Amino acid sequence: MGKAVNNSGNYHKKLVIGLFGFGVVGEGLYKALQQTSSLNATIKKVCIKHAGKKRNAPEELFTTDKNELLNDKEINVIVEVINESEPAFEIVSTALLNGKHAVSASKKMIAEHLPKLLELQKKTGRSFLCEAAACASIPVIRNLEEYYDNDLLHSLKAIVNGSTNFILTKMFEESLSFKDALLLAQQLGFAESDPSLDVDGRDAVNKWTILLAHAYGIVEYPDNILFNGIQNIQLSDALVAKEKHYDIKLVAQAKKLLNGEIAAFVLPQFVKHDDHLSFVKNEYNGVVIESSFADKQFFYGKGAGSFPTASAVLSDISALRYDYRYEYKKLYHHIVPELSSNFYIKTYVSFDDWQYIPKEKFEWIEEWHAEAERKYLVGVLPFSELKNNTWWKENNTSLILSPEPVIEDVEIRKLKKKSLELAGV
């Protein structure tokens, strides 16, 4: 009985928060905490960059001196929701070293510093939580951590960037050009004034780096994961997709191959209408997890915005009441699988001029259309060709994966044999 009493005491552990950043997410968290008194968590100080701004909170809450938060003995949780990667890392690492728990929403910072953050959590015994950094309101990290065992997780595919998904939805449903759709996304606040991080796929691959660590124990620098964004997608690609009854989405995916290695990448992809990800429109995110015996599970929710992101930060804060931490079981208690480049990928490529397309690099080409101004082909490439070269994202070339893009070596040999038989060779 004694143990239960102790535990219940722990649930009422008072959390005193030092908050860094009072933008969209910071203010959302401040408001959300005011509405959830049951949490027994209060913000003691908020560190901001510019002192003069008018803010919707008492003036005495704010300071521009980070040490006021980091050295305050009473503050036991540091929450960091700022935009810059290096200062964010400094805040989180100092907080952990000072014996405080840390919660962060900075995907770029986490993706770039993951090995160091893992080391700090181990060394200090404090928790570092970051549910808000992957899919805002969708509790995907905790699910991957707790629920899906490494050996049972077949694949994971997701739409993790709301801005690009909004742009693609508008190109599809309203036939807007990429430029017009981007402008609309900026006007509605779904895309930054400098949208390059979203549009070129960088934000998505940062989030994917974090999810790969929780899904498979793979700790990899984002630049070592193949990615591209939607910057080269043309209206003509959307028309081809419509003809074939597909949508186009920017899909982050990871799949366990027959040899136990993992294929992982973030690329635009044709998605069939009955695919779960086809239902994910505008600024929403979606994650499809496939495991050995449970078939597919689909998580869906808002991937950006004040309250959706604050809700994930809030769930991390509430978990700290009972000293929750990520255990990274797949990293520390399993043999971590390798990231593979040893497979093939089925893809659609559209382009202005044949001279930029190395036809000889394709294993085979199934379809080509060369009569229109904008030409395209559908064929199979070794994944290493994309990894080692950049022709597929230059000279106005657009590459979009087929719905089931990963083809393994064994299948390739069978398909080649079949195509030779059909050709009567």
Side-chain angles (χ1 to χ4, degrees):
M1 272 309 281
K3 199 169 179 204
V5 174
N6 286 345
N7 275 352
S8 71
N10 211 14
Y11 288 120
H12 299 290
K13 176 173 154 182
K14 184 153 177 53
L15 298 179
V16 182
I17 298 166
L19 173 63
F20 281 83
F22 204 74
V24 176
V25 180
E27 190 176 337
L29 177 66
Y30 173 72
K31 286 179 182 160
L33 272 171
Q34 285 182 312
Q35 290 165 36
T36 33
S37 54
S38 59
L39 263 188
N40 203 11
T42 52
I43 294 176
K44 185 178 179 184
K45 267 287 173 214
V46 182
C47 184
I48 39 131
K49 222 174 169 178
H50 307 291
K53 271 189 188 170
K54 184 86 193 83
R55 292 178 172 89
N56 298 319
E59 217 169 292
E60 59 275 14
L61 205 55
F62 297 99
T63 177
T64 50
D65 176 9
K66 63 177 193 275
N67 295 322
E68 233 182 281
L69 284 69
L70 294 169
N71 297 335
D72 185 329
K73 292 270 187 290
E74 201 193 349
I75 289 176
N76 51 12
V77 180
I78 290 289
V79 175
E80 169 286 299
V81 288
I82 65 174
N83 273 339
E84 295 157 275
S85 174
E86 290 315 307
F89 177 64
E90 194 191 322
I91 289 161
V92 166
S93 48
T94 308
L96 292 167
L97 289 167
N98 286 3
K100 303 178 191 309
H101 296 306
V103 175
S104 170
S106 302
K107 48 259 173 191
K108 183 173 189 282
M109 180 277 280
I110 300 162
E112 288 171 358
H113 295 283
L114 193 52
K116 192 84 182 98
L117 291 166
L118 291 172
E119 200 183 298
L120 280 165
Q121 181 177 270
K122 237 180 174 173
K123 179 178 160 183
T124 61
R126 299 289 101 184
S127 304
F128 170 69
L129 303 180
C130 58
E131 191 67 74
C135 292
S137 68
I138 305 174
V140 63
I141 291 180
R142 198 117 33 114
N143 270 294
L144 289 171
E145 269 287 314
E146 306 299 326
Y147 187 79
Y148 294 96
D149 189 274
N150 201 13
D151 303 326
L152 305 176
L153 193 63
H154 274 326
S155 71
L156 193 64
K157 60 177 187 172
I159 290 169
V160 294
N161 181 278
S163 313
T164 48
N165 201 51
F166 179 86
I167 292 167
L168 289 172
T169 305
K170 292 299 167 203
M171 285 176 76
F172 253 72
E173 298 192 342
E174 296 171 29
S175 297
L176 294 184
S177 70
F178 172 79
K179 278 195 177 117
D180 290 343
L182 171 59
L183 198 63
L184 182 61
Q186 285 170 321
Q187 285 164 351
L188 292 172
F190 296 135
E192 303 291 329
S193 49
D194 171 12
S196 56
L197 263 184
D198 290 322
V199 166
D200 68 9
R202 171 70 62 183
D203 174 76
V205 82
N206 285 336
K207 292 170 181 167
W208 209 233
T209 303
I210 298 167
L211 291 181
L212 281 175
H214 293 282
Y216 293 109
I218 293 171
V219 178
E220 192 52 88
Y221 196 70
D223 279 342
N224 295 336
I225 297 165
L226 182 81
F227 74 94
N228 196 22
I230 62 167
Q231 68 278 23
N232 295 346
I233 290 180
Q234 317 266 335
L235 206 47
S236 62
D237 299 333
L239 296 174
V240 171
K242 274 185 180 162
E243 259 170 51
K244 296 180 182 285
H245 305 294
Y246 295 150
D247 286 311
I248 299 173
K249 301 286 183 188
L250 182 63
V251 183
Q253 51 202 309
K255 181 181 178 175
K256 188 174 275 185
L257 303 173
L258 294 170
N259 62 8
E261 293 183 349
I262 303 294
F265 41 87
V266 178
L267 292 167
Q269 184 172 357
F270 286 138
V271 170
K272 292 177 177 169
H273 287 332
D274 62 354
D275 188 310
H276 291 97
L277 294 184
S278 168
F279 302 112
V280 181
K281 297 188 189 297
N282 295 320
E283 74 276 21
Y284 281 81
N285 283 185
V287 184
V288 179
I289 298 178
E290 195 169 355
S291 61
S292 296
F293 304 108
D295 197 14
K296 287 178 181 166
Q297 269 115 16
F298 175 46
F299 297 82
Y300 170 81
K302 278 204 167 167
S306 174
F307 283 124
T309 312
S311 79
V313 175
L314 211 53
S315 104
D316 282 346
I317 291 169
S318 71
L320 287 174
R321 289 182 302 169
Y322 39 97
D323 293 323
Y324 176 78
R325 58 195 298 214
Y326 301 143
E327 289 176 50
Y328 295 97
K329 296 184 191 79
K330 286 127 182 206
L331 173 59
Y332 298 134
H333 305 302
H334 286 261
I335 294 166
V336 177
E338 296 278 316
L339 266 189
S340 174
S341 290
N342 203 8
F343 58 95
Y344 297 83
I345 205 115
K346 187 173 171 188
T347 181
Y348 154 101
V349 181
S350 74
F351 48 93
D352 295 329
D353 195 326
W354 275 108
Q355 67 170 342
Y356 299 124
I357 307 301
K359 294 194 283 291
E360 71 288 351
K361 296 289 177 71
F362 284 80
E363 289 297 306
W364 70 82
I365 291 172
E366 284 182 7
E367 208 186 308
W368 62 85
H369 296 261
E371 62 286 344
E373 196 176 312
R374 182 81 180 161
K375 304 157 183 51
Y376 76 84
L377 62 83
V378 176
V380 172
L381 283 164
F383 185 72
S384 53
E385 174 61 28
L386 301 188
K387 201 108 172 96
N388 301 333
N389 297 291
T390 53
W391 58 265
W392 52 277
K393 43 183 170 179
E394 291 167 353
N395 299 309
N396 208 21
T397 303
S398 169
L399 178 140
I400 301 171
L401 297 180
S402 294
E404 296 291 336
V406 174
I407 305 176
E408 299 196 45
D409 212 18
V410 196
E411 299 169 84
I412 278 277
R413 287 202 288 273
K414 279 188 197 152
L415 288 164
K416 272 191 171 163
K417 192 170 168 241
K418 197 173 166 199
S419 61
L420 287 173
E421 281 163 9
L422 287 173
V425 176

